[in-house]
């Protein structure tokens, strides 16, 4: 095999049991099109799953489940443009890896160019040796294009190869096994056409929304002897067959270019003609790769991540690359959010709250993309109004899961593949998504100084979410405390009290604290507006001083619930649930989700002291300790360091980490509470799902929010970078053993490089910055001039809390429910 190209991620063997996961991890995308890393000769089966998706192209299909009519909106698997295979003339079977002896193999991704390469040396059943190489890209220069180049080189033999290149419209959404009971056929009216030699077109539309889709391909013979060429049309596909002569030193080289257009694209009336027009102007593979790499280069440069341990630097760059494959400059022009597992079939491609985890990465490197993700929420404000009104509330109630519009897409029933039964799903009660949206708006405006966005969109969004929280809080006159009822926290394993007639929990700690944060910061956002805009917004909302005063009171009197030892409980009554031996359950049911296992046994996670992922500890993960301490003190609770350590230990002992977000959340939350444990969680998360022991669900799409969470831990928790109104604050808390790392970032104060040297934190200001910036740190406050740098020693693990309080453990105010 030739010299191997650079790789950010590579596999040097073919493992059919792991191929689905690898195809997901070697996916390519440009923010508009996403193509899984399946081989061009593969078809959807137990090993492989080709998939091509267009950002935001959803379709809704009805089903009848347990006697109920339900509708599910899913990201659509588009016609498969990849098919390109071959066989020696006279043989019956087309090429497959399962039918040959693999002598050498490599499937790799080069994130510095956005190109994947598959190389193998194989021996077929007749003893012939051949070398094969495929390169692939999804163009960042022209977002409707994708291409591959396939080279087949005989080793010591000559003959005739039959080649088949086509477009398969007979695809379904079949990647996720637990969606098997649902209708998976999203495409209809599939028609293929051989436009000219080498040029194929397939037209179809979605069954529900009837969105038109055009897929056109061009197959060109770049090297080899063409003996014959013919096209063949089948029921839902179109293909072209070639006969080519090959010999040693005369390899067969084919280039296949695909253009995909939909009637959802700007200016497209007929998708087939639009795809053909795009394809006719497309260059050859070499020119396309050069333009693609040039378009990627400035965005990859913005990541500017270097690490003393090459593997960690490579992992960080790969994480950033995957985020930018999903949310790119091209997707910023679309009305799409940030899908939890990327533009693949996991979670049906739905939008949860994952922009909360990727925005800290994007807003410091690609603020235009971050702004676009926030605008996705702004455009759905009216849907959030309608949802709140339907629930008898004012303000804006955003859905836990959404897709093409702002309607709730969380299913009411989920299939348990272990028991073969349906389970009630109440996770739609995660109303905390609204607080996350408010946090995202505030963080973005603080980082970028985009006061225009705050005035035009952001403040209204925050105020409407705050209004919802104020209305959702129920006053308890006896304690002068407010309760929030009928919600679910980030944990997701608790959505109802055992035996209760209605779903929902009382006083989830994370929800209540974030509601208080939102009520406080929404008022601050209003005060920051120009007087005319502030007056107009208040008039439009009917917002008066009396209502704002009520918000203030609610924010200060929302209830938290503690154990007698000062441990903050995830929700009211958690300590009354039954304990569960998690180690014994894991040993008895390795690799199985706990909620599925318990349902098989006739039980429910609602009945036990067990959590799927970080819940209360999401607070010190998303908020700085200064923010968190200020919010809690405003609520009348002053937690000590010992209380937080008790709370962390309590939750860790009861958490299964069945979500890949959990490791990152604990890594950030424990940075000052237990640095050694924090680093263990961080290192585990910095293996971006390479490890075959990762959850099998990765095959459905990697969890991109976890990638963004890694940057949040490094940037905000370990290196301690925070923005203040008048400058930067550095409060590093690197755990012992954190190796040197350096990265760049941009914010409203200019461009900077932040580096952990192994013993101190260095902040360097770009010489092109317009003015000095005020930097506060443990050694004081100083102005950092353009081109200058400063060195800050870690301040230790002491947080902005009191180490001890009089009275009950953790202080009288924090010890009880009120």
């Amino acid at each position: 095999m030739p010299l191997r190209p650079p790789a950010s991620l590579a596999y040097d063997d073919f493992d059919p049991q792991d191929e689905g996961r690898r195809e997901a991890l070697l996916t390519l995308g440009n923010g508009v099109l996403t193509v899984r890393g399946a081989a061009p000769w593969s078809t959807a089966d137990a090993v492989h799953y080709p998939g091509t998706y267009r950002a935001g192209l959803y379709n809704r299909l009805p089903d009848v489940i347990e006697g109920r009519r339900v509708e599910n909106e899913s990201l659509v698997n588009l016609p498969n443009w990849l098919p390109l295979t071959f066989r020696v003339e006279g043989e019956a079977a087309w090429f497959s890896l399962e039918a040959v002896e693999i002598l050498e193999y490599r499937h790799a991704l080069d994130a510095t160019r956005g190109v994947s390469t598959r190389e193998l040396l194989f021996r077929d059943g007749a003893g012939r040796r051949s070398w094969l190489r495929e390169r692939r890209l999804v163009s960042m220069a022209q977002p409707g294009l994708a291409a591959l180049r396939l080279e087949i080189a005989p080793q010591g033999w000559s003959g005739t190869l039959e080649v088949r290149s086509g477009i398969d419209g007979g695809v379904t959404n079949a990647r996720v096994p637990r969606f098997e009971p649902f209708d998976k056929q999203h495409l209809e009216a599939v028609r293929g056409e051989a436009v000219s030699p080498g040029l194929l077109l397939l037209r179809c539309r979605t069954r529900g929304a009837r969105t038109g889709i055009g897929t056109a391909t061009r197959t060109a013979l770049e090297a080899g002897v063409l003996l014959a060429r013919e096209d063949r049309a089948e029921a839902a596909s179109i293909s072209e067959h070639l006969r080519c002569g090959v010999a040693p030193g005369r390899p067969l080289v084919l280039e296949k270019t695909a253009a995909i257009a939909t009637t959802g694209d700007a200016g497209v009336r007929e998708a087939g003609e639009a795809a053909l027009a795009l394809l006719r102007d497309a260059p050859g593979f070499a020119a396309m790769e050069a333009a693609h790499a040039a378009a990627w280069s400035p965005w990859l440069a913005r990541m500017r991540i270097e690490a003393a341990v090459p593997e960690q630097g490579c992992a960080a760059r790969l994480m950033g690359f995957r985020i930018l494959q999903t949310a790119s400059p091209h997707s910023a022009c679309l009305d799409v959010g940030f899908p939890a597992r990327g533009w693949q079939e996991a979670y049906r491609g739905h939008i949860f709250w994952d922009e909360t985890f990727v925005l800290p990465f994007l807003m410091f490197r690609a603020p235009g993309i971050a702004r676009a993700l926030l605008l996705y929420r702004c455009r759905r404000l009216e849907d959030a109004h309608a949802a709140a009104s339907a629930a008898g509330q004012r303000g804006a109630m955003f859905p836990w899961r959404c897709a093409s519009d702002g309607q709730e897409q969380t299913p009411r029933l989920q299939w348990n593949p272990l028991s073969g039964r349906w389970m009630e799903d109440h996770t739609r009660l995660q109303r905390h998504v609204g607080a996350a949206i408010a946090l995202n708006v505030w963080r973005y405006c603080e980082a970028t100084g985009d006061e225009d966005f705050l005035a035009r969109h952001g403040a209204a969004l925050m105020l409407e979410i705050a209004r919802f929280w104020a209305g959702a809080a129920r006053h308890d006159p006896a304690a002068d405390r407010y309760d929030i009822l009928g919600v679910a926290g980030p944990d997701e394993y608790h959505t109802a009290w055992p035996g209760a007639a209605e779903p929902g929990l009382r006083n989830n700690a994370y929800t209540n604290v974030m509601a208080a944060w939102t009520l406080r910061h929404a008022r601050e956002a209003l005060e920051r507006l120009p007087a005319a805009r502030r007056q107009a917004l208040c008039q439009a909302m009917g917002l008066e001083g009396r209502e704002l005063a009520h918000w203030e009171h609610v924010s200060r009197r929302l209830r938290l619930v503690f154990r007698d030892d000062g441990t903050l409980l995830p929700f009211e009554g958690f300590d009354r649930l039954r304990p569960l031996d998690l180690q014994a359950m894991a040993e008895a049911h390795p690799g199985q989700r706990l909620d599925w296992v318990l349902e098989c046994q006739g039980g429910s996670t609602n009945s036990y002291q067990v959590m799927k992922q970080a819940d209360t500890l999401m607070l010190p993960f998303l908020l700085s300790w200064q923010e968190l301490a200020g919010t809690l003190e405003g609520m009348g609770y002053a937690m000590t360091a010992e209380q937080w350590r008790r709370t962390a230990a309590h939750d860790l002992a009861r958490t299964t980490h069945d979500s890949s977000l959990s490791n990152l959340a604990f890594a950030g939350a424990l940075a000052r509470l237990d640095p050694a444990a924090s680093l263990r969680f961080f290192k585990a998360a910095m293996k971006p799902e390479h490890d075959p022991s990762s959850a099998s669900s990765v095959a459905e799409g990697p969890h991109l929010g976890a990638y963004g969470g890694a940057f949040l831990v490094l940037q905000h928790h370990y290196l301690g970078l925070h923005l203040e109104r008048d400058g930067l604050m550095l409060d590093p808390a690197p755990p012992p053993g954190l190796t040197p790392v350096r990265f760049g970032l941009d914010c409203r104060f200019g461009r900077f490089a932040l580096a952990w040297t192994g013993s101190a934190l260095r902040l360097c200001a770009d010489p092109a910055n317009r003015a000095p910036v005020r930097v506060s740190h443990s050694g004081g406050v100083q102005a950092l001039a353009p081109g200058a740098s400063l060195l800050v020693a870690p301040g230790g693990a002491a947080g902005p809390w009191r180490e001890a309080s009089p009275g009950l453990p953790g202080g009288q105010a924090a010890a009880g429910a009120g």
Side-chain angles (χ1 to χ4, degrees), residues 117-428:
T117 303
R118 192 188 318 260
E119 298 175 299
L120 61 138
L121 180 66
F122 65 92
R123 181 185 293 114
D124 63 22
R128 294 177 293 245
R129 289 164 55 105
S130 304
W131 175 79
L132 180 150
R133 185 179 195 233
E134 181 225 347
R135 284 177 64 76
R136 183 184 304 179
L137 61 86
V138 177
S139 177
M140 185 60 80
Q142 296 172 283
L145 296 179
L148 63 86
R149 185 178 190 272
L150 183 66
E151 182 177 353
I152 307 164
Q155 306 289 295
W157 65 274
S158 60
T160 301
L161 288 182
E162 295 181 50
V163 177
R164 183 180 67 194
S165 178
I167 311 171
D168 181 12
V171 301
T172 62
N173 276 44
R175 175 59 267 182
V176 184
R178 63 184 175 278
F179 295 165
E180 180 61 31
F182 297 96
D183 191 345
K184 302 178 290 296
Q185 184 68 53
H186 288 278
L187 303 180
E188 66 177 7
V190 181
R191 302 187 309 279
E193 175 186 352
V195 179
S196 62
L199 192 60
L200 303 178
L201 172 64
L202 191 140
R203 292 183 172 93
C204 64
R205 67 189 181 205
T206 58
R207 285 172 56 199
R210 295 182 178 270
T211 300
I213 303 164
T215 303
T217 62
R218 181 185 66 208
T219 303
L221 185 67
E222 292 300 304
V225 179
L226 179 63
L227 303 175
R229 191 169 204 156
E230 65 172 323
D231 58 82
R232 300 178 188 178
E234 299 178 13
S237 64
I238 180 75
S239 63
E240 189 175 38
H241 290 237
L242 295 77
R243 293 178 63 246
C244 304
V246 295
R250 291 192 301 165
L252 177 66
V253 181
L254 297 152
E255 293 185 0
K256 185 172 185 179
T257 306
I260 299 170
T262 78
T263 52
D265 300 340
V268 173
R269 298 184 62 183
E270 204 288 311
E273 293 302 319
L276 282 174
L278 184 60
L279 187 62
R280 288 188 177 110
D281 293 336
F285 189 89
M288 188 181 297
E289 182 177 1
H292 165 72
W296 257 116
S297 180
W299 295 99
L300 296 174
R302 293 190 181 201
M303 288 190 284
R304 309 199 302 275
I305 302 166
E306 303 170 12
V309 178
E311 292 80 5
Q312 291 184 6
C314 181
R317 288 190 292 273
L318 183 57
M319 289 175 173
F321 171 77
R322 286 185 177 143
I323 292 172
L324 289 171
Q325 282 195 131
T326 303
S328 79
H330 302 302
S331 60
C333 302
L334 307 176
D335 182 25
V336 296
F338 194 88
R341 295 294 190 94
W343 297 116
Q344 298 199 48
E345 292 178 35
Y347 299 141
R348 301 186 184 274
H350 289 170
I351 314 301
F352 294 71
W353 65 332
D354 293 77
E355 73 262 34
T356 307
F357 307 97
V358 301
L359 279 174
F361 169 78
L362 290 172
M363 66 180 61
F364 287 104
R365 295 163 181 86
I369 300 175
R371 192 180 200 269
L373 294 178
L374 294 176
L375 285 173
Y376 170 84
R377 298 295 190 178
C378 296
R379 296 186 187 105
R380 285 149 183 80
L381 182 56
E382 288 306 313
D383 286 328
H385 281 151
S389 179
Q393 299 287 353
R394 300 176 69 202
M397 185 176 80
F398 281 87
W400 176 234
R401 294 171 66 162
C402 58
S404 61
D405 56 26
Q407 298 181 43
E408 178 66 76
Q409 297 298 328
T410 305
R412 298 302 180 100
L413 294 168
Q414 293 278 11
W415 179 251
N416 183 345
L418 299 183
S419 68
R421 292 189 294 263
W422 293 96
M423 300 170 57
E424 293 282 348
D425 185 349
H426 300 300
T427 56
R428 67 185 182 280

Side-chain angles (χ1 to χ4, degrees), residues 650-662:
H650 171 275
D651 289 5
L652 269 173
R654 294 161 177 81
T655 302
T656 65
H657 305 292
D658 282 343
S659 167
S660 53
L661 283 176
S662 191

Side-chain angles (χ1 to χ4, degrees), residues 1 53 280 334 391 440 476 486 512 547 576 625 728-729 798 806:
M1 298 176 74
Y53 311 92
R280 288 188 177 110
L334 307 176
N440 294 338
D476 173 10
N512 286 17
E547 183 176 359
R576 301 200 303 273
W625 282 109
L728 303 176
M729 181 178 72

